[in-house]
């Protein structure tokens, strides 16, 4: 894994936006995996600032969606992705896909989502955040590293974390549809972003801890091209932070 420690959210946004635009420019990025949550917002804001018309040709696949929340609800991931990604980046809405958590045949909708990703040629670059429990997408602790898109039950911790988006905690749905860890690992490149002290333990467990289903983010250790971009606070529990800085400062010219 490549670990990049930057000063703040704005630097993280600029850095990851640069990686995405370089991929679009050289033709290697045609399908972008997008994530909800506050962590990737600086990336979308940086892309919006750069006003890049070439993004209109890419396709996007979101990681997850609540089950049983109407898409008209402002906190459904359909609504969030439309607001924060499709509109800001001026993507073609017909090319932006979000799991169909409102389907009346949820198992089939999971299979259909996997098939849609496959038909698009697979995800070229997946943006990820990480939850306090170490979850990526909505793959809660004990998720199989081989899992594909499926229905999961949210942990009480995740429901409590996400209660801030709802009027009352009991409005947070119990279930979600999420790409599996196997689906995420199939992306050609993954870039995880995290900011703030509250993410430090999860980042350290994912990067330096054992491979364990108890920290789903640790599955990224199996990915051949995973980059973790964090601010100083989110890097606070990393034992090898000085080494990561040294590696980044001395990266070969072709990686600059
Ligand atoms: C939700 C999303 C995840 C996201 C996580 C962290 O659970 N399903 O994809 O990574 O929240 O969110 P935040 O970035 O707001 O801390």
């Amino acid at each position: 894994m490549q670990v990049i420690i930057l000063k703040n959210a704005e630097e993280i946004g600029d850095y990851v936006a640069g990686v995405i635009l370089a991929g679009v420019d050289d033709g290697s990025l045609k399908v972008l995996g997008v994530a909800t949550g506050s962590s990737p917002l600086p990336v979308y804001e940086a892309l919006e600032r750069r006003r890049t018309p070439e993004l209109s040709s890419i396709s996007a696949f979101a990681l997850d969606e609540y089950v049983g929340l109407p898409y008209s609800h402002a906190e459904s991931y359909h609504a969030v992705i439309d607001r924060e990604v499709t509109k800001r980046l001026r993507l073609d809405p017909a090319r932006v896909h979000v799991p169909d958590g409102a389907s009346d045949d949820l198992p089939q909708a999971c299979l259909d989502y996997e098939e849609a990703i496959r038909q698009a040629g697979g995800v070229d670059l997946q943006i990820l955040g990480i939850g306090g429990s170490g979850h990526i997408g909505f793959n809660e602790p004990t998720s199989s590293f081989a899992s594909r898109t499926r229905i999961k039950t949210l942990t009480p911790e995740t429901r409590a974390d996400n209660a801030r988006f709802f009027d009352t905690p009991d409005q947070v749905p119990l279930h979600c549809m999420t790409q599996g860890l196997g689906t995420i690992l199939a992306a050609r490149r993954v870039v995880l972003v995290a900011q703030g002290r509250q993410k430090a333990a999860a980042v350290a467990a994912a990067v330096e801890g054992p491979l364990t289903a108890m920290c789903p983010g640790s599955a990224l250790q199996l990915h051949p091209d995973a980059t973790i971009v964090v601010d100083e606070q989110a890097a606070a529990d990393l034992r090898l932070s000085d080494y990561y800085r040294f590696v980044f400062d001395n990266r070969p010219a072709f990686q600059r």
Side-chain angles (χ1 to χ4, degrees):
M1 284 169 140
Q2 187 188 14
V3 180
I4 300 176
I5 303 170
L6 300 174
K7 272 205 215 63
N8 52 41
E10 196 179 335
E11 277 195 7
I12 293 174
D14 280 336
Y15 181 83
V16 179
V19 170
I20 291 169
L21 293 176
V24 173
D25 272 353
D26 70 19
S28 64
L29 199 167
K30 295 190 166 58
V31 181
L32 181 66
V34 292
T36 54
S38 44
S39 307
L41 291 179
V43 177
Y44 306 141
E45 285 159 8
L47 287 168
E48 185 183 20
R49 274 199 301 279
R50 297 193 193 189
R51 297 189 166 274
T52 47
E54 63 267 38
L55 286 177
S56 60
S57 65
I58 67 168
S59 303
F61 284 86
L63 286 167
D64 45 15
E65 175 59 288
Y66 292 110
V67 166
L69 201 61
Y71 298 158
S72 54
H73 191 292
E75 295 307 327
S76 77
Y77 285 175
H78 274 75
V80 172
I81 291 289
D82 185 57
R83 198 165 61 229
E84 304 293 354
V85 180
T86 312
K87 291 214 165 72
R88 277 174 191 270
L89 276 52
R90 291 185 281 170
L91 302 185
D92 173 359
R95 293 178 200 250
V96 179
H97 309 268
V98 180
D100 188 6
S103 169
D104 48 19
D105 186 350
L106 292 169
Q108 186 59 47
C110 294
L111 295 173
D112 290 348
Y113 202 64
E114 289 283 329
E115 180 59 16
I117 295 173
R118 197 189 64 76
Q119 283 189 9
V123 171
D124 294 311
L125 186 150
Q126 176 66 57
I127 303 170
L128 293 171
I130 188 164
S133 68
H135 73 227
I136 52 177
F138 265 140
N139 291 282
E140 297 285 31
T142 74
S143 287
S144 160
F145 283 15
S147 51
R148 309 301 299 207
T149 302
R150 68 215 186 290
I151 303 303
K152 290 291 285 180
T153 304
L154 297 174
T155 60
E157 291 75 14
T158 298
R159 292 185 73 220
D161 279 353
N162 290 3
R164 65 188 193 277
F165 299 116
F166 294 83
D167 293 336
T168 59
D170 61 310
Q171 288 176 6
V172 184
L174 258 183
H175 299 111
C176 63
M177 182 183 293
T178 181
Q179 286 189 31
L181 294 175
T183 318
I184 293 170
L185 290 176
R188 291 179 189 89
R189 184 170 187 186
V190 298
V191 178
L192 183 146
V193 292
Q195 305 97 3
R197 189 71 184 88
Q198 72 283 7
K199 294 296 172 72
V203 167
V207 175
E208 295 178 341
L211 266 181
T212 169
M214 286 304 284
C215 176
S218 70
L220 299 181
Q221 295 175 29
L222 295 171
H223 196 285
D225 193 349
T227 306
I228 313 298
V229 191
V230 290
D231 66 5
E232 302 282 349
Q233 290 75 31
D237 289 355
L238 289 169
R239 286 191 296 155
L240 298 188
S241 53
D242 288 343
Y243 175 63
Y244 305 137
R245 288 191 184 91
F246 179 79
V247 170
F248 187 65
D249 291 344
N250 292 286
R251 65 197 185 281
F254 76 91
Q255 283 180 354
R256 286 172 191 271

